[in-house]
Amino acid sequence: MNSTDLPDQSTTVVIGAGAVGCSVAYHLTELGAEDVTVIDQGPLPVTGGSSVHAPGIMFKTSPSKVQTKAAHYTSQFLSDIGTYDEVGGIETARSEERMDFLERRFEWATSYGLPDPELLSPEEVGERLPLVNEEEILGGYYSPTDGRVDGIETLQWYIENTPANFVGDTEVVDLDVSNGEITSVLTDKGRIDCDRCVIATNNWGYQTGQLAGLDLPIAPVEHQYVVTEPMEELSGADSAVGDNTAGLDIPGDRSIQEYMSEGPNRPVGRDQDHSLYFRTHGDALGMGSYNHEALSVDPEEMGRNSEDRQASVRGFTKKHWERPTHPGRDKSAKQAFDELLPASADQEYAVTENGIFVFTPDGMPAVGPTAQVDGLWTALAIWWTHSAGYGRIVAEWMENGVPRLPSGPVDSGGIHVRRFEPHAGEKDFFVDRGAKRYEQVYSIVEPRWQPDDHRGLRTSPFYEQQRDLGAEFVQSGGWESAQYYESNADLVDRYEDQIPEQDGWQGVNRSPIQGAEHLHTREHVSMFDMTTFSSIMVSGEGSGEFLQRVCSNDMDIEEGKVRYSLLLNEGGGILADVTVVRLGDDEYMVTTGGGNSPRIHGSWLEEHAPDTVSVHVEEGAKSTIGLWGPKSRLLLQRCTDADVTNEGFPYFSAKQMYVGDVPVIALRVSYVGELGWELWTPSEYGRRLWETLWEAGQDLDVRPMGGGALESMRLEKGFRLWGTDIDTDSNPFEAGLPFAVDMDTDFVGKDALEAAKEEGIDSRITPLTLDDSTDIALSGRPVLKDGEAIGYVQAGDYGYTIGESIAYTYVPSQYAEAGTDVQIRCEGELYDATVREEPLFDPGREKIIR
């Protein structure tokens, strides 16, 4: 409902009436929300944001499941409302490397349920896209349900069919926050008191966040698009240019909207080898280019509409079209298009633009409730391709507490606005990282690729020792984490016969040292830097009752005991897996993983804590060493007067003690399936802790161990990793974690788990091993039974101790029985595999509890 009247009060205010804001509002009201207001600084529906200058091309296949699922929902939704042209999409390959990449596309599409993907020969591409020069390509990937959205028509549909109040030409000038809660939205036309607010301003996301004191890492970047004059080769197509936007208030150049409203009559296309895409606009051809250096826009200088231009469109820069300015491309956009689409070579352009859209530092959306302001939500860094899907996800999250699509819950860890590390809001950082993501939009990004800028921001107290030992650092959550150590290169010769070579894509940026560290830890003792992991201190009156309410397991534990548990959302999805240590009557330490865990899970605990309970997230406040291996007890006992025998320090217990002269909280737990401890100490003691253990263990052949060995060891043991094997899209029964749930207690998500048990658990996680290959099955690759996809690889690695390649997957329950034969398709190869019982290593737990 379009209105010129600004209400004084609205339960929910959505800022931004583009593709995402309109979708959030529609889906909120569809779920029963009332009193929703949508405001935008521009006229409606042509606001001047990226939603109305975008050509609307939708390629749905992604290595990310949540991105692919959101895109598929979007195409179905837009088809149902009649604003989507399902003409199909074709990605071409001009190199063998790109053909390999298109095979991955096919595999991701198969894994995530996209209909009827195909790999095409050059001739088959030419049949569907006659303008393409077949001699320039080696083949293509075809997704028949890809296509194009009519942006303006869709926005009009939302406004006319959503029982919300839409108000245009209204600028937000401030956000009122009181006692950590959003209370009102101030505009140039007045104040709107509200209970909750959604920031869906995309290009202006950083500026809008600043009004509430948030540093949202949303980096605007320009990219180029041109539309030719009518072409003889397309002369049979109808054209309504001149009538498409009649009667609409259009800021700036009306011709942009006129041509963007012209639909395609052939599949949309991409030439990712040169960072290009294209589609027909009636009888004209539109061509888009990422094939230029990143043209970053100061996020504080986005500006507003004027008579001369739309706020999110900049002037076309001819040099970036005609000269190769992209650091990874040797041809200009025009040269590459002239070769691929020869008919375009001498065409004049009816429309040119540098349109602005945004990137986050990791290239993924930023959605969900903010940690700093209750009631303030974000729905940012989202393209038309995923817009309806994320609108539904955010609406479900707001209304029902569960991020989900009609197909089921979605994994939220990689899209949550809280995932960003503390430094990510610094403008130079996120603008630089956004520029890098722009450069990589169509690049083939290698496994385990690492940025080379803004490094060394977060380092543990062990960093100097690690560097001296030749650590190969990777950045995770801003931390420098060792993947393996060159000082352990001599171990490769020792274990040579147990470390198979990994060729091809599986072996890129991977070292055999990882396998050697794995095997050494199984036989001797290793030190692993766990400083990226975080402790959350919970204390005060009622702490035990609070933890009982938020944890799925029984928290009635004695002082000095450790218990593994889960945090669940209202739908029973796994928010986190945690280890809870009782330190005193009303004092607990909750440990969780690294990366984005502390910000997502720590803030969740803070929000749910009663006034009498203090929750303190100690991100970086403690440094931690995992001391693991059969000789770990001998080494630890040399350094402490505490009793660390099995009787005096049993498995899943904790002690506050000294290692040398360093005070530690020692946990008898192990993430690698070996005897061992986690040793937690204040960060200022970290260096001495490392030195003490290192010096005492030289005759025991103590070694450093990196993250590569940790991954293969935990998969052998079947230990879960949040964000990889478990997330909000799985419940504990599906994830094989019923032991972490006590249904005799009351906890968040219990009702949903009871309903799930009643309905029956129809999907289960299970390990597979490859029958006749030592290759590694990569994540996202389809698991097949009789040629049909029944799941996909969640995580895969080589199990150096068991001598088999391991892949973990969720499959329908009827296929989860050990001995079931399946296949995995990876890099174009079909691998025979077998479902196995878990754990694959040490099923009797003799090694851990000895």
Side-chain angles (χ1 to χ4, degrees), residues 33-81:
E34 298 179 349
D35 194 20
V36 177
T37 299
V38 185
I39 56 178
D40 199 287
Q41 66 178 345
L44 302 180
V46 186
T47 62
S50 56
S51 297
V52 293
H53 72 63
I57 289 176
M58 289 178 55
F59 290 94
K60 298 189 294 184
T61 311
S62 168
S64 163
K65 178 183 176 182
V66 66
Q67 289 282 83
T68 302
K69 291 286 189 181
H72 191 49
Y73 174 86
T74 300
S75 69
Q76 292 176 309
F77 177 86
L78 297 176
S79 292
D80 289 344
I81 68 174

Coordinates of all heavy atoms in Angstrom, one line a residue, residues 33-81:
A33 N 2.5 -10.7 10.8 CA 2.9 -9.4 11.4 C 2.0 -8.3 11.0 O 1.6 -8.2 9.8 CB 4.4 -9.1 11.1
E34 N 1.7 -7.4 11.9 CA 0.8 -6.3 11.6 C 1.6 -5.0 11.9 O 2.6 -5.0 12.6 CB -0.5 -6.4 12.5 CG -1.3 -7.6 12.2 CD -2.5 -7.6 13.1 OE1 -2.6 -6.8 14.0 OE2 -3.4 -8.5 12.8
D35 N 1.0 -3.9 11.3 CA 1.6 -2.6 11.6 C 3.0 -2.5 11.1 O 3.9 -2.2 11.9 CB 1.4 -2.3 13.1 CG 1.6 -0.8 13.4 OD1 1.5 0.0 12.4 OD2 1.9 -0.5 14.5
V36 N 3.3 -2.8 9.8 CA 4.6 -2.7 9.3 C 4.7 -1.5 8.4 O 3.8 -1.2 7.5 CB 4.9 -3.9 8.4 CG1 6.3 -3.8 7.8 CG2 4.9 -5.2 9.3
T37 N 5.7 -0.7 8.5 CA 5.9 0.5 7.6 C 7.3 0.4 6.9 O 8.3 0.0 7.5 CB 5.9 1.8 8.5 OG1 4.6 1.9 9.1 CG2 6.2 3.0 7.6
V38 N 7.3 0.7 5.6 CA 8.5 0.7 4.8 C 8.7 2.1 4.3 O 7.8 2.7 3.8 CB 8.3 -0.3 3.6 CG1 9.6 -0.3 2.8 CG2 7.9 -1.6 4.0
I39 N 9.9 2.6 4.5 CA 10.2 4.0 4.1 C 11.5 4.0 3.2 O 12.3 3.1 3.4 CB 10.4 4.9 5.3 CG1 11.5 4.4 6.3 CG2 9.1 5.1 6.0 CD1 11.8 5.3 7.4
D40 N 11.5 4.9 2.3 CA 12.7 5.0 1.4 C 12.9 6.5 1.1 O 12.0 7.3 1.0 CB 12.5 4.2 0.2 CG 13.8 4.0 -0.6 OD1 14.4 4.9 -1.1 OD2 14.3 2.8 -0.5
Q41 N 14.2 6.9 0.9 CA 14.5 8.3 0.6 C 14.1 8.6 -0.8 O 14.0 9.8 -1.2 CB 16.0 8.5 0.8 CG 16.9 7.8 -0.2 CD 18.4 8.1 0.0 OE1 18.7 9.1 0.7 NE2 19.2 7.3 -0.5
G42 N 13.9 7.6 -1.7 CA 13.6 7.9 -3.1 C 12.1 7.8 -3.4 O 11.3 7.3 -2.5
P43 N 11.7 8.1 -4.6 CA 10.3 7.9 -5.0 C 10.0 6.4 -5.2 O 10.9 5.6 -5.4 CB 10.2 8.6 -6.3 CG 11.6 8.6 -6.9 CD 12.5 8.7 -5.7
L44 N 8.8 6.0 -5.1 CA 8.4 4.6 -5.2 C 7.7 4.4 -6.6 O 6.9 5.2 -7.0 CB 7.4 4.2 -4.1 CG 8.0 4.4 -2.6 CD1 6.9 4.0 -1.6 CD2 9.2 3.6 -2.4
P45 N 8.0 3.3 -7.2 CA 8.9 2.2 -6.8 C 10.4 2.4 -7.3 O 11.2 1.7 -6.9 CB 8.3 1.0 -7.5 CG 7.8 1.6 -8.8 CD 7.3 2.9 -8.5
V46 N 10.6 3.5 -8.1 CA 12.0 3.6 -8.6 C 12.8 4.5 -7.6 O 12.8 5.7 -7.8 CB 12.0 4.3 -10.0 CG1 13.4 4.3 -10.6 CG2 11.0 3.5 -10.9
T47 N 13.3 3.9 -6.6 CA 13.9 4.6 -5.5 C 15.3 5.2 -5.8 O 15.7 6.1 -5.1 CB 14.1 3.6 -4.3 OG1 15.0 2.6 -4.7 CG2 12.8 3.0 -3.9
G48 N 16.0 4.7 -6.8 CA 17.3 5.2 -7.0 C 18.4 4.3 -6.4 O 19.6 4.6 -6.5
G49 N 18.0 3.2 -5.8 CA 18.9 2.2 -5.3 C 19.3 1.2 -6.3 O 18.8 1.2 -7.5
S50 N 20.1 0.2 -5.9 CA 20.6 -0.8 -6.9 C 19.5 -1.7 -7.4 O 19.7 -2.2 -8.5 CB 21.7 -1.6 -6.2 OG 21.2 -2.3 -5.0
S51 N 18.4 -1.8 -6.8 CA 17.3 -2.7 -7.2 C 16.8 -2.2 -8.6 O 16.2 -3.0 -9.3 CB 16.2 -2.7 -6.2 OG 16.6 -3.3 -5.0
V52 N 16.9 -0.9 -8.9 CA 16.2 -0.4 -10.1 C 17.2 -0.1 -11.2 O 16.8 0.1 -12.4 CB 15.4 0.9 -9.8 CG1 14.2 0.5 -8.9 CG2 16.2 2.0 -9.1
H53 N 18.5 -0.1 -10.9 CA 19.4 0.0 -12.1 C 20.0 -1.3 -12.5 O 20.7 -1.4 -13.5 CB 20.6 1.0 -11.7 CG 21.6 0.5 -10.8 ND1 22.4 -0.6 -11.0 CD2 21.9 1.0 -9.5 CE1 23.2 -0.8 -10.0 NE2 22.9 0.1 -9.0
A54 N 19.7 -2.4 -11.7 CA 20.3 -3.7 -12.0 C 19.6 -4.3 -13.2 O 18.4 -4.2 -13.4 CB 20.1 -4.6 -10.8
P55 N 20.4 -5.1 -14.0 CA 19.7 -5.7 -15.2 C 18.9 -6.9 -14.8 O 18.2 -7.5 -15.7 CB 21.0 -6.1 -16.0 CG 22.1 -6.2 -15.1 CD 21.8 -5.2 -14.0
G56 N 18.9 -7.4 -13.6 CA 18.0 -8.4 -13.1 C 18.4 -9.8 -13.4 O 17.6 -10.7 -13.2
I57 N 19.6 -10.0 -13.9 CA 20.0 -11.4 -14.3 C 20.1 -12.3 -13.0 O 20.7 -11.8 -12.0 CB 21.4 -11.4 -15.0 CG1 21.1 -10.8 -16.4 CG2 22.0 -12.7 -15.1 CD1 22.4 -10.6 -17.2
M58 N 19.7 -13.5 -13.1 CA 19.7 -14.4 -11.9 C 20.3 -15.7 -12.3 O 19.7 -16.5 -13.0 CB 18.3 -14.6 -11.4 CG 17.7 -13.4 -10.7 SD 16.0 -13.6 -10.1 CE 16.2 -15.1 -9.1
F59 N 21.6 -15.9 -11.9 CA 22.3 -17.2 -11.9 C 22.2 -17.8 -10.5 O 22.8 -17.2 -9.6 CB 23.7 -17.0 -12.4 CG 23.8 -16.6 -13.8 CD1 23.9 -15.3 -14.2 CD2 23.9 -17.6 -14.8 CE1 24.0 -14.9 -15.5 CE2 24.0 -17.3 -16.2 CZ 24.1 -15.9 -16.5
K60 N 21.6 -18.9 -10.3 CA 21.3 -19.4 -9.0 C 22.4 -20.3 -8.4 O 22.4 -20.5 -7.2 CB 20.0 -20.2 -9.1 CG 18.8 -19.3 -9.5 CD 17.5 -20.0 -9.3 CE 17.3 -21.2 -10.2 NZ 16.0 -21.8 -10.1
T61 N 23.2 -21.0 -9.2 CA 24.1 -22.0 -8.6 C 25.3 -21.4 -7.9 O 26.0 -20.5 -8.4 CB 24.6 -22.9 -9.8 OG1 23.6 -23.3 -10.6 CG2 25.4 -24.1 -9.2
S62 N 25.5 -21.8 -6.7 CA 26.6 -21.3 -5.9 C 27.2 -22.4 -5.1 O 26.6 -23.4 -4.8 CB 26.0 -20.3 -4.9 OG 26.9 -19.9 -3.9
P63 N 28.5 -22.3 -4.7 CA 29.1 -23.3 -3.7 C 28.4 -23.2 -2.4 O 28.6 -24.1 -1.6 CB 30.6 -22.9 -3.7 CG 30.6 -21.4 -4.1 CD 29.5 -21.3 -5.1
S64 N 27.7 -22.2 -2.1 CA 27.0 -22.0 -0.8 C 25.6 -22.6 -0.9 O 24.8 -22.2 -1.8 CB 26.9 -20.5 -0.4 OG 26.0 -20.3 0.6
K65 N 25.3 -23.5 0.0 CA 23.9 -24.1 0.0 C 22.9 -23.0 0.3 O 21.8 -22.9 -0.4 CB 23.8 -25.2 1.0 CG 22.4 -25.8 1.1 CD 22.4 -26.9 2.2 CE 21.0 -27.4 2.4 NZ 20.9 -28.4 3.5
V66 N 23.1 -22.1 1.3 CA 22.1 -21.2 1.6 C 21.9 -20.2 0.5 O 20.7 -19.7 0.2 CB 22.4 -20.5 3.0 CG1 23.7 -19.6 2.9 CG2 21.2 -19.6 3.4
Q67 N 22.9 -19.8 -0.2 CA 22.8 -18.9 -1.3 C 22.0 -19.6 -2.5 O 21.1 -18.9 -3.1 CB 24.2 -18.5 -1.9 CG 24.9 -17.5 -1.0 CD 24.5 -16.1 -1.0 OE1 23.5 -15.8 -0.4 NE2 25.2 -15.3 -1.8
T68 N 22.3 -20.8 -2.7 CA 21.6 -21.5 -3.8 C 20.1 -21.7 -3.4 O 19.2 -21.5 -4.3 CB 22.2 -22.9 -4.1 OG1 23.6 -22.7 -4.4 CG2 21.5 -23.6 -5.2
K69 N 19.8 -22.1 -2.2 CA 18.5 -22.3 -1.8 C 17.7 -21.0 -1.8 O 16.5 -20.9 -2.2 CB 18.4 -22.9 -0.3 CG 18.9 -24.3 -0.2 CD 17.9 -25.3 -0.8 CE 18.3 -26.7 -0.5 NZ 17.4 -27.7 -1.1
A70 N 18.3 -19.9 -1.3 CA 17.7 -18.6 -1.4 C 17.4 -18.1 -2.8 O 16.3 -17.6 -3.1 CB 18.5 -17.5 -0.7
A71 N 18.3 -18.4 -3.7 CA 18.1 -18.0 -5.1 C 16.9 -18.9 -5.7 O 16.1 -18.3 -6.5 CB 19.4 -18.3 -5.9
H72 N 16.9 -20.1 -5.4 CA 15.8 -21.0 -6.0 C 14.5 -20.6 -5.5 O 13.5 -20.5 -6.2 CB 16.1 -22.4 -5.7 CG 15.2 -23.4 -6.4 ND1 15.1 -23.3 -7.8 CD2 14.4 -24.4 -6.0 CE1 14.2 -24.2 -8.2 NE2 13.8 -24.9 -7.2
Y73 N 14.4 -20.3 -4.2 CA 13.1 -19.8 -3.6 C 12.7 -18.5 -4.4 O 11.5 -18.2 -4.7 CB 13.2 -19.5 -2.1 CG 11.9 -18.9 -1.6 CD1 10.9 -19.7 -1.2 CD2 11.9 -17.5 -1.4 CE1 9.7 -19.1 -0.7 CE2 10.7 -16.9 -0.9 CZ 9.6 -17.7 -0.5 OH 8.5 -17.1 0.0
T74 N 13.7 -17.6 -4.6 CA 13.4 -16.3 -5.2 C 12.8 -16.5 -6.6 O 11.8 -15.9 -7.0 CB 14.7 -15.4 -5.3 OG1 15.2 -15.2 -3.9 CG2 14.4 -14.1 -5.9
S75 N 13.5 -17.4 -7.4 CA 13.0 -17.6 -8.8 C 11.6 -18.2 -8.7 O 10.7 -17.8 -9.6 CB 13.9 -18.5 -9.5 OG 13.9 -19.8 -9.0
Q76 N 11.3 -19.1 -7.8 CA 9.9 -19.7 -7.7 C 8.9 -18.6 -7.3 O 7.8 -18.5 -7.9 CB 9.9 -20.8 -6.7 CG 10.7 -22.0 -7.2 CD 10.8 -23.1 -6.2 OE1 11.1 -22.9 -5.0 NE2 10.4 -24.3 -6.6
F77 N 9.3 -17.8 -6.3 CA 8.4 -16.8 -5.8 C 8.1 -15.8 -6.9 O 6.9 -15.4 -7.2 CB 9.0 -16.1 -4.6 CG 8.2 -15.0 -4.1 CD1 7.2 -15.2 -3.2 CD2 8.4 -13.6 -4.5 CE1 6.4 -14.1 -2.7 CE2 7.7 -12.6 -4.0 CZ 6.7 -12.8 -3.1
L78 N 9.1 -15.3 -7.6 CA 8.9 -14.3 -8.7 C 8.2 -14.9 -9.9 O 7.4 -14.2 -10.5 CB 10.3 -13.7 -9.1 CG 11.1 -13.0 -8.0 CD1 12.4 -12.6 -8.6 CD2 10.3 -11.8 -7.5
S79 N 8.4 -16.2 -10.1 CA 7.6 -16.8 -11.2 C 6.1 -16.8 -10.8 O 5.2 -16.6 -11.7 CB 8.1 -18.3 -11.4 OG 9.4 -18.3 -12.0
D80 N 5.8 -17.1 -9.6 CA 4.4 -17.2 -9.1 C 3.7 -15.8 -9.2 O 2.5 -15.8 -9.5 CB 4.3 -17.7 -7.7 CG 4.7 -19.2 -7.6 OD1 4.7 -19.9 -8.6 OD2 5.0 -19.6 -6.4
I81 N 4.5 -14.8 -9.0 CA 3.8 -13.4 -9.1 C 3.9 -12.8 -10.5 O 3.4 -11.7 -10.7 CB 4.4 -12.5 -8.0 CG1 5.8 -12.1 -8.4 CG2 4.3 -13.1 -6.6 CD1 6.4 -11.0 -7.4

